[in-house]
Amino acid sequence: MSRTINITSSNTPSPAQQVNLRDCGPEGCELDWLSSQRHETEIDDVMAFTRYAMQQGWGDGLPLIPPTEGRVRAFLAQSNRYPDEVICKLPPTDADCTVEKIAINAVMAGAPAATLPLIIAALEGLADPNFELFGLNATTAPVVPLTLVNGPIRNQLDIPYQHGCLGGMPSLSIAAGRAIRLLIKNVAGQQVQVTCQTTFGSPGRLPGILFGEWEERSPWAPFAERRGVSGNAVSVYGTMGTQNIIDTTSQTGPEFLEMTGKSLAYPGANGFSPAMPFAEMMVAINPVWAEIIHRDIPHLEDVQELIWQHASIAADHLTTKHREQLEAQHRVINGRVYVAVEPKDVLVICCGGTGGLHATGFHSFGSCLTQTRAILPGPDQS
Amino acid sequence: MALGNVLDPTAIRADDITSPGPDAGPLTGKTIGFRLDEIWRAWDWIAEIWAAEFEKAGATVKFWRSHQGRTGAEGEKVAKALDEFLDSIDIAVVGLGNCGSCTGWTIRDALSAANKGLPTTAICTEVFKELGHQLAARGGRSGLRIHILPYPLNEKRRAEVEPVAFEHLQSVQHTMGVDTHPRKEALA
């Protein structure tokens, strides 16, 4: 007997597709649906298991929850995803990233089971060839994928998007970011000094950077919605880290944007590197500034344009060799070089606390392109 | 303290080609394709010297320059151009793995060449040797030929780089599987 269930494609939220699955699902079958190799080890002592996991090369240095069969089954029981469903292949290993592997790593990271759809959506974005995870995982750069969450799920999962959203605001769901990092290590195969040549790395490589947009205070449409995905969604973006921009002086929208744009422009930023022909530039604006900016500059396209204009460097400010390489790539326009090829590649989001005074720049990696995916419930869970 | 089973969190790729692929053989009459990039001028200088020497041995040489913009519409253009380039050559020399991501793309492009059945050699610098081999293995071809140049390289002046090209001329041909003493009947 085969059963037919409704499953919605993760890449195209609608319409639902009819997909034939196998005879029995995890809830109605005595088959062993978990196919991963078993390892006998200490399971009651977290630190003993963590030491074991580090010896196996599974860990990140922080304590890990032993992924016993019971814990993994309990995690999966809150979803009716099939454990052997292949979500994607992640480079460089290009091995199958199954729901089972996701669950095992999420359990180890301490991620709540309710975060599974979010983790899956993020992985689907990371696996898109336009995200360039292949280069991102190997590079000497400190890049780490940032996961931005939109939609009501931010509140359901307690994803930080106000004060301390980039770090410091406690939330159990932050462990979903760590789960994504463990999956990049254990399934994609990113291993420092083996498949990854990062020179310095970055703090974000441990727990990931997972946060939400403060949609309720943003004067702009939710970031994912601007990219064609309404409701619950994640956007993944490869960032070199967070760059703080302090401004205690500006009073108007144009002033805040000038200060922000000029602060983003320095020769060693990704967007000015001759090593890649184009780049994106994400900027997080706090809700206080966002309100003022929107008051003075109603259209987001104009906001992007102003940041872009100011996020530029006079070509003669660059070293000779640097300038010559950029000139050869036709990236010097009227004597200036810009952090992105076009204003549309300046990605503006709204989040952070009501203390204002700061913006955050997220310089991108290479020509890695942001990917947005809907966060969808599992089959039969809609 | 209690023992129990935990589930393995890792995933591995099952397939692997351990063979280095076909030898380049005699160079006479062959078209050798050099894959260059937009970052490493030292690789340009070395490729120019090797190309001149291969031409002396009777080969024709082509160059194709990639860049790191491998995403979006630009990425599709680059992929198509690479495919056309690989279809136009008999032997591929792919470089330069001299950073993390560029080693990644060097190996990925080399795998594309090898998967077309071309005698293929990737070129990496010493620091990125292990990365190159690891990525080749994860790409399903642990046997991929990788020739190693010294590091640092791109930080040197041309006058310092040129001797490196000549010093490695024989060894790179060995890595490529070049038959430097073809039998007379083979040439006939």
Side-chain angles (χ1 to χ4, degrees):
Chain A
M1 178 181 95
S2 74
R3 69 176 189 157
T4 300
I5 63 170
N6 287 320
I7 185 170
T8 306
S9 164
S10 53
N11 289 326
T12 49
S14 63
Q17 294 173 299
Q18 294 284 309
V19 177
N20 288 316
L21 292 183
R22 298 165 310 186
D23 290 343
C24 54
E27 75 283 356
C29 176
E30 293 185 356
L31 287 173
D32 182 1
W33 287 89
L34 301 178
S35 61
S36 293
Q37 184 182 351
R38 270 67 167 174
H39 300 264
E40 188 178 61
T41 183
E42 174 59 49
I43 57 171
D44 282 350
D45 181 333
V46 164
M47 290 314 296
F49 171 70
T50 300
R51 284 191 291 275
Y52 175 80
M54 291 296 288
Q55 288 168 2
Q56 297 293 315
W58 303 342
D60 57 10
L62 294 179
L64 295 161
I65 308 296
T68 60
E69 292 187 33
R71 287 195 177 103
V72 173
R73 289 184 195 282
F75 186 98
L76 287 167
Q78 295 191 42
S79 156
N80 69 351
R81 292 270 193 177
Y82 285 78
D84 62 349
E85 179 186 354
V86 177
I87 298 300
C88 58
K89 292 177 185 288
L90 297 170
T93 298
D94 283 338
D96 290 345
C97 182
T98 60
V99 170
E100 177 176 341
K101 292 299 179 186
I102 295 169
I104 295 168
N105 282 278
V107 166
M108 287 207 308
T115 61
L116 179 62
L118 184 157
I119 296 171
I120 286 175
L123 292 169
E124 288 171 335
L126 295 175
D128 191 298
N130 286 328
F131 190 76
E132 211 182 7
L133 189 63
F134 188 82
L136 187 150
N137 276 342
T139 182
T140 48
V143 56
V144 57
L146 159 168
T147 304
L148 174 66
V149 184
N150 279 113
I153 201 168
R154 289 167 305 133
N155 294 318
Q156 293 158 11
L157 296 180
D158 192 25
I159 304 289
Y161 54 79
Q162 302 181 20
H163 302 72
C165 60
L166 297 178
M169 175 56 78
S171 164
L172 291 175
S173 294
I174 290 302
R178 186 189 183 200
I180 294 168
R181 293 301 306 154
L182 288 176
L183 283 155
I184 286 182
K185 174 182 172 55
N186 291 325
V187 176
Q190 185 192 48
Q191 293 175 270
V192 175
Q193 273 196 305
V194 181
T195 58
C196 168
Q197 286 292 320
T198 186
T199 305
F200 291 106
S202 73
R205 285 199 172 201
L206 195 52
I209 302 175
L210 174 71
F211 64 106
E213 191 174 24
W214 196 345
E215 298 174 12
E216 296 79 2
R217 286 290 303 268
S218 175
W220 308 299
F223 182 73
E225 187 177 311
R226 285 180 255 150
R227 301 173 57 82
V229 183
S230 300
N232 293 330
V234 296
S235 297
V236 289
Y237 171 91
T239 183
M240 298 293 200
T242 61
Q243 177 204 4
N244 189 63
I245 299 162
I246 182 170
D247 185 355
T248 57
T249 306
S250 296
Q251 294 176 305
T252 67
E255 288 171 351
F256 281 121
L257 296 182
E258 179 176 352
M259 181 68 173
T260 300
K262 285 180 173 175
S263 301
L264 298 174
Y266 62 95
N270 183 62
F272 298 103
S273 170
M276 61 282 307
F278 53 88
E280 294 179 328
M281 178 75 237
M282 182 177 279
V283 187
I285 305 287
N286 70 68
V288 180
W289 290 10
E291 187 177 331
I292 296 170
I293 290 167
H294 186 62
R295 177 197 69 196
D296 296 344
I297 308 160
H299 298 294
L300 181 60
E301 294 79 6
D302 296 332
V303 173
Q304 294 171 291
E305 172 88 27
L306 270 175
I307 295 175
W308 179 79
Q309 283 177 3
H310 291 297
S312 63
I313 298 174
D316 58 12
H317 177 61
L318 301 170
T319 65
T320 304
K321 284 193 174 75
H322 191 168
R323 186 181 68 245
E324 287 173 351
Q325 276 191 288
L326 291 171
E327 284 171 344
Q329 295 171 356
H330 310 291
R331 289 177 57 193
V332 179
I333 305 167
N334 296 326
R336 299 192 74 79
V337 185
Y338 294 82
V339 73
V341 173
E342 297 180 77
K344 71 172 179 55
D345 296 324
V346 175
L347 311 176
V348 180
I349 61 173
C350 179
C351 57
T354 50
L357 302 180
H358 302 267
T360 295
F362 301 97
H363 288 279
S364 57
F365 164 72
S367 45
C368 177
L369 296 178
T370 302
Q371 300 298 314
T372 298
R373 295 290 185 277
I375 300 172
L376 298 169
D380 287 347
Q381 286 190 312
S382 53
Chain B
M1 302 284 279
L3 290 178
N5 283 328
V6 295
L7 296 167
D8 191 311
T10 64
I12 56 169
R13 183 179 177 139
D15 59 313
D16 184 29
I17 297 172
T18 56
S19 162
D23 286 340
L27 297 184
T28 306
K30 304 268 182 69
T31 300
I32 302 176
F34 280 88
R35 182 267 205 197
L36 307 176
D37 53 49
E38 290 189 331
I39 312 177
W40 311 121
R41 55 184 174 273
W43 173 226
D44 271 27
W45 300 335
I46 287 172
E48 283 173 22
I49 290 170
W50 286 355
E53 296 298 321
F54 292 162
E55 284 175 337
K56 287 179 192 171
T60 300
V61 171
K62 283 186 169 185
F63 295 99
W64 178 77
R65 190 176 300 280
S66 178
H67 61 60
Q68 299 270 90
R70 306 294 288 259
T71 56
E74 186 66 24
E76 288 177 20
K77 275 169 48 184
V78 173
K80 183 170 182 290
L82 171 65
D83 195 56
E84 290 170 357
F85 171 70
L86 295 178
D87 285 341
S88 73
I89 61 177
D90 303 309
I91 300 165
V93 182
V94 182
L96 179 68
N98 191 45
C99 73
S101 54
C102 68
T103 301
W105 285 113
T106 291
I107 297 300
R108 183 153 274 204
D109 288 351
L111 293 174
S112 295
N115 290 339
K116 280 180 177 282
L118 293 174
T120 301
T121 301
I123 311 293
C124 295
T125 54
E126 179 67 34
V127 167
F128 300 97
K129 171 183 176 180
E130 181 63 15
L131 176 63
H133 284 295
Q134 290 286 346
L135 293 178
R138 282 162 176 76
R141 279 191 178 268
S142 63
L144 182 73
R145 299 169 195 263
I146 301 180
H147 185 77
I148 303 302
L149 294 173
Y151 182 92
L153 189 65
N154 201 60
E155 291 78 359
K156 295 182 182 299
R157 295 188 304 274
R158 182 163 191 151
E160 298 171 295
V161 172
E162 287 180 349
V164 174
F166 287 108
E167 284 164 17
H168 280 259
L169 184 59
Q170 290 303 314
S171 55
V172 73
Q173 289 183 83
H174 177 75
T175 306
M176 293 165 62
V178 172
D179 183 355
T180 52
H181 302 288
R183 289 174 298 172
K184 285 181 180 175
E185 57 270 30
L187 291 172

